[in-house]
Amino acid sequence: MPHLTTPPGAAPAATGAGRLGLGVPGYAHPLLAPAEWGELARPGTPVHWAVLNVTDGPGQRPDPHVAEAAHRLREAGSGAGGGSDRRLLGHLDLRDGERSVGELVSEAHRYLDWYRVGGFYLAGAPADRAGLPAVRRIVDALRSLGSLRALSDADADGLRIVLGHGTHPYAGYAETADQLVTFSGAWADYRWSQVAEWTAEYPPERFCHFVHGVPRTHLEEAMRIARWQGAGTIWFTDRSDRHGSADPWAGMPAYWDEIVSRIGQGVSE
């Protein structure tokens, strides 16, 4: 199978020794998906991070329902009275590099002020070499914002930055963010996908895969592919995009309990 192909003399991108965790692309509004948000905050759930997206961004005013969901997830990760939790990421849409740094930083401010996020998921991140300088400027601006916030919050960890490419980007992006989403798509494509050779130089925690339409009977195979390709964070769901007319990430998979059990307890950050 293509995902098991390793160049002669090269080590595989990952082994089965590392433990996987969940990266949640972003559920529907807490009023529409209360059970989903509640499950994320359940103790022991192996969530590496979850994306908060109010209205294609933070919205124009604080939403009390979103704030409550964010508070529960943050407290589940940092404990009562704790500081910001790097598991909660604000959704910023780069639109393939078309948006300005100022516009994105303005949205980032609102996420930090209203929902105390611990980082950002940069959706629509460009993947080519030409787009790298602009992405670096955006990430540098966000990290500077995070450094200023850390002075008042006593949070020395800094912001978590995840780039949502959805495909293997130019290798230079790996030095820009904490994690890259190197696959986002359907199971039919994922099971025959190939990993970029340069990813073998980085540990699994630097990569994430989003896969929709994964049947329950192929869940173990999907996890095996993720481990082999060097992804430490995953989101697998049996939901479909209905040929582009639906958001497959808006709710939890029907086999939520099974996937949590397979990944195991105690790997939350």
Side-chain angles (χ1 to χ4, degrees):
M1 303 176 81
H3 61 265
L4 299 181
T5 301
T6 305
T15 69
R19 300 186 70 179
L20 295 171
L22 300 174
V24 186
Y27 284 145
H29 190 280
L31 284 178
L32 300 177
E36 283 84 344
W37 282 102
E39 283 294 321
L40 293 184
R42 191 172 67 180
T45 303
V47 176
H48 283 173
W49 45 263
V51 178
L52 191 65
N53 188 7
V54 184
T55 53
D56 196 24
Q60 297 304 313
R61 58 184 60 85
D63 184 319
H65 302 289
V66 175
E68 177 61 23
H71 172 76
R72 290 178 179 175
L73 180 59
R74 190 172 56 247
E75 292 299 290
S78 59
S84 64
D85 179 9
R86 280 164 49 92
R87 300 192 311 163
L88 185 63
L89 307 182
H91 180 281
L92 299 175
D93 191 353
L94 268 60
R95 297 176 191 163
D96 202 30
E98 294 182 358
R99 299 185 68 196
S100 69
V101 175
E103 187 178 8
L104 292 164
V105 167
S106 175
E107 291 189 359
H109 266 292
R110 278 177 271 160
Y111 272 120
L112 290 166
D113 290 342
W114 298 344
Y115 306 118
R116 293 177 56 198
V117 298
F120 297 99
Y121 175 75
L122 276 55
D128 59 354
R129 184 171 184 172
L132 180 57
V135 172
R136 280 179 175 159
R137 287 192 293 273
I138 292 167
V139 172
D140 286 347
L142 294 175
R143 292 201 188 282
S144 295
L145 185 62
S147 297
L148 292 174
R149 187 56 56 97
L151 294 176
S152 58
D153 288 352
D155 180 6
D157 292 333
L159 297 176
R160 184 198 298 268
I161 305 295
V162 179
L163 296 180
H165 305 286
T167 187
H168 284 96
Y170 172 67
Y173 285 95
E175 302 300 327
T176 304
D178 296 288
Q179 194 172 55
L180 312 179
V181 177
T182 54
F183 185 93
S184 180
W187 165 243
D189 298 319
Y190 187 62
R191 67 184 310 190
W192 301 108
S193 63
Q194 298 187 51
V195 64
E197 293 182 24
W198 63 261
T199 61
E201 301 176 9
Y202 297 90
E205 58 264 27
R206 301 299 300 279
F207 304 105
C208 174
H209 293 169
F210 296 157
V211 190
H212 62 77
V214 181
R216 181 189 299 268
T217 53
H218 289 278
L219 193 54
E220 182 60 36
E221 180 186 356
M223 291 184 179
R224 188 165 61 248
I225 295 171
R227 291 189 178 99
W228 187 262
Q229 292 198 359
T233 304
I234 60 169
W235 184 253
F236 296 156
T237 179
D238 52 351
R239 298 167 67 97
S240 170
D241 69 347
R242 300 177 188 172
H243 305 289
S245 64
D247 179 4
W249 322 119
M252 68 174 59
Y255 43 63
W256 168 258
D257 289 336
E258 182 175 350
I259 197 170
V260 168
S261 177
R262 284 176 180 269
I263 292 176
Q265 303 296 312
V267 297
S268 300
E269 294 185 356

